[in-house]
Amino acid sequence: MANYLALDREQLEQELQAQRAVFEGYVKQGLKLDMSRGKPAKDQLELSVDMLKITDLMGDSGIDARNYGNLAGMPEARRFFGDMLGAKPEEVFVGGNSSLNMMFCVIDLAYRVGLADSPAAWGSGAKPKFLCPAPGYDRHFRITEYFGFDLLTVPMLPTGPDMDVVEKLVQDETVKGIWCVPIYSNPDGYTYSDETVKRLAAMKTAAPDFSILWDNAYGVHHLTDTPDHVLNILDECCKAGNEDRALMFCSLSKVTFPGAAVAAMAASKKNIDFILEHMFPMTISFDKVNQMRHVKFLKDMDGLAAHMKKHRTLLEPKFRMVQDTLERDLAECGEIAHWTKPNGGYFISVYTYPGCAKRTVELCREAGVVLTGAGATYPYGIDPDDSNIRIAPTFPPIGELELASRLLCVCIRIATLEKLLQRQ
Amino acid sequence: MANYLALDREQLEQELQAQRAVFEGYVKQGLKLDMSRGKPAKDQLELSVDMLKITDLMGDSGIDARNYGNLAGMPEARRFFGDMLGAKPEEVFVGGNSSLNMMFCVIDLAYRVGLADSPAAWGSGAKPKFLCPAPGYDRHFRITEYFGFDLLTVPMLPTGPDMDVVEKLVQDETVKGIWCVPIYSNPDGYTYSDETVKRLAAMKTAAPDFSILWDNAYGVHHLTDTPDHVLNILDECCKAGNEDRALMFCSLSKVTFPGAAVAAMAASKKNIDFILEHMFPMTISFDKVNQMRHVKFLKDMDGLAAHMKKHRTLLEPKFRMVQDTLERDLAECGEIAHWTKPNGGYFISVYTYPGCAKRTVELCREAGVVLTGAGATYPYGIDPDDSNIRIAPTFPPIGELELASRLLCVCIRIATLEKLLQRQ
């Protein structure tokens, strides 16, 4: 029961046997838990049921949300999301239910046609490349992979993507952009430092239409009394004379109902106008009924913050539970794992001893606990260290979460012991 | 006041002066009416307000519509739309708020990658072509125009597209598909005959992945006691051994709330699976809350039919008003215009004397009545005869509609008189 890294072969084998016995105990419980995706729990969904009772859908300017029209969104929704993203209403386009789909559409458009500043379509010349701070969000990486971009990994630091690496890579004009989750990043829960944001905004890029896809997914999803803040990338890009560089996205999926909420984007008016022009062939208009329902329910930034406090009340104990369990159950093992302690967001990143993440996830699955696949948070699904595990503590009830966290620790121990034995 | 076509120059000039005086009377009224788009009126929207009160969103199979997941749609929604389109649930994919957007995504996919049966992406070889029965729906044509297809006009007959022309054109393997509104076509309100459907399903096409984009937009939008029926294109394609040829679309936009309803598509399971596989990078899931709300409100095909009867009660008098006015106010002028008398749908097609449509629309606009731009119903917006005007009688209140219809007749008279004078 000492530091695993200091044990000899016999001690490792003894400890492995002991931990396997504990593991078998979990297997017998026949668990069936899912900690794989950032999915709100049922009690969080209940926080928004009153929104479904809102039936007054007339806009202030006399627009009936129930009929066709207003492709850019209800004026009150453009104001609301403008406040949320730190942009003027005319810099905002409010869409349908999915910010991921908006990002897909933007990449699709850039690939086919280009963006407002593009000398040519991204897909028209040499194979384009995209920067992927990793670990990061698998569904971001997948969009650019799907369109055939080369994905370039940038190490993710507690201050954001490693800017020394980024600034070097953007000297290549086939590097067209970067995926960013600037606050409470997926999966680490890191928030970009002011310096990172300023460097992203100001750096010289070989591609004149280099674009920052800024997914502000967790901008209001605070979990502590010491919330993080991130600089406004649009403002910083303007200051640096690169006003068309940033495309910001957010959604209310983890505010009200996942997949049944409202998504929006903000960018320079030039980019928004360009994108709207290309949205015209795509659809008549988005679901303005749902836009109005959300704005009338959440009202303004104060209303939104008050609503998010209710989420925090439900989520904070879950995050603390996972962290306390990791602390308690792994402390005695020495430096075999470390994990992030985010002030918000939906995830905790656990870093195992190198080469142990896949095996840990596999063991958890054997015992009935589904985690995000190891490696999923890296481009092409390959974690070079096989170390990162993304923990999504939000969905299971807290009792199940405790069980799952304890099992996770046992599995980390087993995977580490097996690896140490292999290396001996 | 006789047959315009039999008048001499002096009589034409006299009559023109008389009609201009009538026209000036309308101008003085300062009308501000819109008969340009197929938009339901406010009283139609009120028919569905009870849907907004539905808050029970649990699916029969225990799926909570309020959370992520189920990309293909709620099982009950797949059943509902399957019944509506005449397809099995597994042949149905229920999406977001816009069937037009689904069609856009399918063309985008086909252009980039191809469809399930495609030997290659449609955009990868020679410039692809698409068949456009005209007059037809401008937003269909625009999608294929946007992707750079050559648009080939096929004359629209009361039995559907001229199949002799279609069968010839599909011998060209760069002809990749055809836009169809098979029942109560936009703008004529024509319904495809059984023979047309069977020939579309069975014809030999040079392109192995020739696709029929079957927009069943008005399948339940009957306006009379003698509704039209159209054969099921999926069934007919199956019988002919071309089971992957047809892609059917529909939406509830003109059943409940335009732009805030639910759209769906049906095709062979092979095509649906292929499309879903390619939807995966595009989004997490569609708005299942809205799917459940619609299914719980409309319940089944009987519930849907009962609901559509309420729409008919509101719409039938409007269609009759336009037709009665045209009949009454143009009868004495001889054969200077004819128009369609559809059993359903959202439009009436007026055919003016050749070369008079643009001028008629211009005159209406001068007097404050906005019609769909003349030519809009043809590929590239060019009506070779400058004859077709699409009338959308649904949106204005009936009093305004009467005024607008009477004005339309005056404008048709003036445009015809001007044209006849030019030709003298």
Side-chain angles (χ1 to χ4, degrees):
Chain A
M1 299 289 203
N3 181 350
Y4 277 15
L5 306 177
L7 298 184
D8 64 20
R9 179 159 203 98
E10 197 181 336
Q11 290 168 315
L12 286 171
E13 272 169 355
Q14 251 176 9
E15 175 66 6
L16 180 56
Q17 221 170 346
Q19 291 303 325
R20 280 216 170 122
V22 181
F23 178 75
E24 290 307 324
Y26 281 101
V27 171
K28 276 187 197 126
Q29 292 187 46
L31 302 178
K32 232 189 136 193
L33 307 177
D34 193 335
M35 291 208 298
S36 72
R37 305 271 355 156
K39 214 169 147 170
K42 193 169 181 307
D43 55 5
Q44 291 179 267
L45 305 181
E46 299 300 331
L47 298 176
S48 301
V49 289
D50 283 348
M51 184 178 69
L52 296 173
K53 296 171 191 157
I54 292 171
T55 55
D56 171 19
L57 300 164
M58 286 304 288
D60 291 339
S61 44
I63 297 169
D64 190 337
R66 302 170 305 177
N67 220 329
Y68 289 125
N70 299 84
L71 181 58
M74 288 295 281
E76 29 282 274
R78 296 180 86 180
R79 280 199 299 275
F80 181 91
F81 281 102
D83 291 344
M84 207 171 152
L85 286 165
K88 300 187 200 88
E90 63 268 25
E91 295 168 334
V92 174
F93 154 43
V94 187
N97 70 319
S98 166
S99 56
L100 190 73
N101 184 248
M102 278 185 152
M103 297 174 223
F104 181 94
C105 288
V106 164
I107 296 290
D108 183 26
L109 175 60
Y111 193 83
R112 280 189 290 110
V113 180
L115 294 176
D117 277 341
S118 299
W122 291 2
S124 66
K127 198 178 190 196
K129 304 190 183 83
F130 222 82
L131 304 186
C132 301
Y137 181 32
D138 53 343
R139 299 298 292 264
H140 284 165
F141 303 161
R142 189 183 296 269
I143 290 174
T144 31
E145 185 181 357
Y146 177 73
F147 281 95
F149 287 73
D150 272 340
L151 308 185
L152 305 185
T153 300
V154 174
M156 184 71 186
L157 309 176
T159 52
D162 185 330
M163 286 308 300
D164 293 343
V165 175
V166 170
E167 284 163 349
K168 249 177 233 157
L169 290 171
V170 298
Q171 300 313 309
D172 174 352
E173 73 166 335
T174 65
V175 172
K176 296 300 186 186
I178 184 169
W179 289 113
C180 295
V181 182
I183 179 164
Y184 308 137
S185 69
N186 175 351
D188 291 315
Y190 293 151
T191 295
Y192 290 19
S193 70
D194 292 357
E195 192 203 329
T196 299
V197 179
K198 283 174 189 290
R199 285 171 74 179
L200 279 168
M203 65 189 179
K204 294 252 182 303
T205 63
D209 53 348
F210 180 90
S211 296
I212 300 173
L213 271 77
W214 193 259
D215 186 358
N216 207 348
Y218 310 108
V220 294
H221 301 66
H222 309 297
L223 288 173
T224 68
D225 289 328
T226 53
D228 296 354
H229 295 283
V230 71
L231 284 182
N232 183 320
I233 187 74
L234 272 188
D235 289 350
E236 295 304 318
C237 284
C238 274
K239 283 186 214 162
N242 297 315
E243 56 272 13
D244 298 324
R245 179 177 289 181
L247 303 157
M248 304 168 93
F249 302 87
C250 74
S251 100
L252 299 174
S253 264
K254 291 186 185 83
V255 174
T256 62
F257 301 128
V262 181
M265 70 173 292
S268 70
K269 187 166 182 307
K270 186 175 165 191
N271 259 324
I272 290 293
D273 288 348
F274 179 82
I275 288 165
L276 282 173
E277 187 193 321
H278 283 272
M279 288 304 298
F280 181 75
M282 293 191 205
T283 192
I284 306 287
S285 49
F286 291 93
D287 185 345
K288 300 190 302 297
V289 163
N290 212 25
Q291 293 178 6
M292 280 306 284
R293 202 185 270 125
H294 277 79
V295 174
K296 296 224 168 181
F297 178 61
L298 297 167
K299 293 185 179 72
D300 52 26
M301 292 309 102
D302 289 340
L304 176 61
H307 188 72
M308 294 314 294
K309 267 202 183 146
K310 297 180 193 168
H311 281 286
R312 175 182 159 186
T313 305
L314 299 172
L315 290 181
E316 202 183 344
K318 293 187 175 182
F319 277 74
R320 205 182 310 121
M321 159 68 69
V322 172
Q323 272 155 348
D324 289 351
T325 305
L326 287 163
E327 193 67 53
R328 192 188 58 231
D329 287 10
L330 294 177
E332 61 181 12
C333 307
E335 293 288 307
I336 66 164
H338 60 98
W339 49 91
T340 59
K341 286 137 193 114
N343 286 321
Y346 259 65
F347 303 101
I348 293 166
S349 239
V350 174
Y351 292 88
T352 67
Y353 191 77
C356 294
K358 270 211 167 89
R359 177 65 179 146
T360 300
V361 170
E362 181 185 287
L363 285 162
C364 283
R365 184 178 296 261
E366 274 175 35
V369 171
V370 179
L371 301 176
T372 307
T377 54
Y378 289 79
Y380 309 111
I382 299 162
D383 173 2
D385 295 329
D386 185 23
S387 163
N388 181 252
I389 298 175
R390 184 179 83 165
I391 305 294
T394 55
F395 189 66
I398 196 147
E400 299 187 1
L401 190 66
E402 184 176 6
L403 262 177
S405 304
R406 287 165 60 190
L407 170 68
L408 170 67
C409 292
V410 175
C411 295
I412 290 175
R413 285 178 175 229
I414 293 175
T416 313
L417 291 162
E418 288 174 350
K419 180 60 69 185
L420 291 170
L421 277 164
Q422 277 170 32
R423 295 214 174 148
Q424 284 235 324
Chain B
M1 298 291 203
N3 181 349
Y4 277 16
L5 306 176
L7 299 184
D8 64 21
R9 178 157 204 102
E10 197 181 335
Q11 290 168 317
L12 287 170
E13 273 169 354
Q14 251 177 11
E15 174 67 4
L16 179 56
Q17 219 170 348
Q19 292 302 326
R20 281 217 168 121
V22 181
F23 178 76
E24 289 309 321
Y26 281 100
V27 171
K28 275 188 197 124
Q29 292 186 46
L31 303 178
K32 230 188 137 195
L33 308 177
D34 193 335
M35 291 209 297
S36 72
R37 307 273 350 156
K39 215 170 148 171
K42 194 171 181 306
D43 55 5
Q44 290 179 267
L45 305 180
E46 299 300 331
L47 298 176
S48 300
V49 288
D50 283 348
M51 185 178 71
L52 297 172
K53 297 171 190 157
I54 293 171
T55 55
D56 171 18
L57 300 164
M58 286 304 288
D60 290 339
S61 45
I63 298 169
D64 190 337
R66 301 169 307 176
N67 220 330
Y68 289 125
N70 299 84
L71 181 57
M74 289 294 281
E76 28 283 273
R78 295 180 87 181
R79 280 199 299 276
F80 181 92
F81 282 102
D83 291 344
M84 205 169 152
L85 287 164
K88 299 187 201 88
E90 64 268 25
E91 294 168 333
V92 174
F93 153 44
V94 187
N97 71 320
S98 167
S99 56
L100 191 72
N101 185 247
M102 281 186 150
M103 296 175 224
F104 181 94
C105 289
V106 164
I107 295 289
D108 183 26
L109 175 60
Y111 194 82
R112 281 189 289 108
V113 181
L115 295 176
D117 277 342
S118 298
W122 290 2
S124 66
K127 197 176 192 196
K129 304 189 183 84
F130 221 83
L131 304 187
C132 301
Y137 181 33
D138 53 343
R139 299 297 291 265
H140 284 166
F141 302 162
R142 189 183 296 269
I143 290 174
T144 30
E145 185 182 355
Y146 177 73
F147 280 95
F149 287 73
D150 272 339
L151 309 185
L152 305 185
T153 301
V154 174
M156 185 69 186
L157 309 176
T159 51
D162 185 329
M163 286 307 300
D164 292 343
V165 175
V166 170
E167 282 164 350
K168 250 177 232 158
L169 290 171
V170 298
Q171 299 313 308
D172 173 353
E173 73 166 334
T174 66
V175 172
K176 295 301 185 186
I178 184 169
W179 289 113
C180 295
V181 181
I183 180 166
Y184 307 137
S185 69
N186 177 350
D188 291 314
Y190 294 150
T191 295
Y192 290 19
S193 69
D194 292 357
E195 191 202 329
T196 298
V197 179
K198 284 174 188 289
R199 285 171 75 179
L200 279 168
M203 65 189 178
K204 293 252 181 302
T205 63
D209 54 348
F210 180 90
S211 295
I212 299 173
L213 272 78
W214 193 257
D215 185 358
N216 205 348
Y218 309 109
V220 294
H221 301 65
H222 309 297
L223 289 173
T224 67
D225 288 329
T226 53
D228 296 354
H229 295 283
V230 70
L231 283 183
N232 183 320
I233 187 74
L234 271 188
D235 289 349
E236 294 305 318
C237 284
C238 274
K239 283 187 215 164
N242 296 316
E243 55 272 14
D244 298 325
R245 179 176 290 179
L247 303 157
M248 303 167 93
F249 303 87
C250 73
S251 101
L252 299 174
S253 263
K254 293 187 183 84
V255 174
T256 62
F257 301 130
V262 180
M265 69 174 293
S268 70
K269 187 164 182 308
K270 185 174 166 192
N271 259 325
I272 290 293
D273 288 348
F274 179 82
I275 288 166
L276 282 172
E277 187 194 321
H278 284 272
M279 288 304 298
F280 181 75
M282 294 191 205
T283 194
I284 306 288
S285 49
F286 291 92
D287 185 344
K288 299 191 301 299
V289 163
N290 213 24
Q291 293 178 8
M292 280 306 284
R293 203 186 271 126
H294 277 79
V295 173
K296 295 223 167 181
F297 178 61
L298 297 168
K299 292 185 178 72
D300 53 25
M301 292 309 102
D302 288 341
L304 177 60
H307 188 73
M308 293 314 293
K309 266 200 185 150
K310 297 179 193 168
H311 282 285
R312 174 182 160 184
T313 304
L314 299 172
L315 289 181
E316 202 182 344
K318 293 187 175 182
F319 277 74
R320 204 181 312 120
M321 159 69 69
V322 173
Q323 273 155 345
D324 289 351
T325 306
L326 287 164
E327 192 68 52
R328 192 189 57 230
D329 288 9
L330 294 178
E332 61 182 14
C333 307
E335 292 289 306
I336 66 165
H338 60 97
W339 50 92
T340 59
K341 286 137 193 114
N343 286 320
Y346 259 64
F347 302 103
I348 293 167
S349 240
V350 174
Y351 291 88
T352 67
Y353 190 77
C356 294
K358 270 210 167 91
R359 178 63 179 146
T360 300
V361 170
E362 181 185 287
L363 285 163
C364 282
R365 184 177 295 261
E366 274 176 35
V369 172
V370 179
L371 302 176
T372 308
T377 54
Y378 289 78
Y380 308 111
I382 300 164
D383 173 2
D385 295 329
D386 185 23
S387 163
N388 182 251
I389 298 175
R390 182 179 85 165
I391 305 296
T394 55
F395 189 65
I398 196 147
E400 299 186 0
L401 190 67
E402 184 176 4
L403 262 177
S405 304
R406 287 167 60 192
L407 170 68
L408 170 67
C409 292
V410 175
C411 295
I412 290 175
R413 284 177 175 228
I414 293 175
T416 313
L417 291 162
E418 288 174 351
K419 181 60 68 183
L420 292 170
L421 277 163
Q422 276 170 32
R423 294 212 173 150
Q424 283 234 324

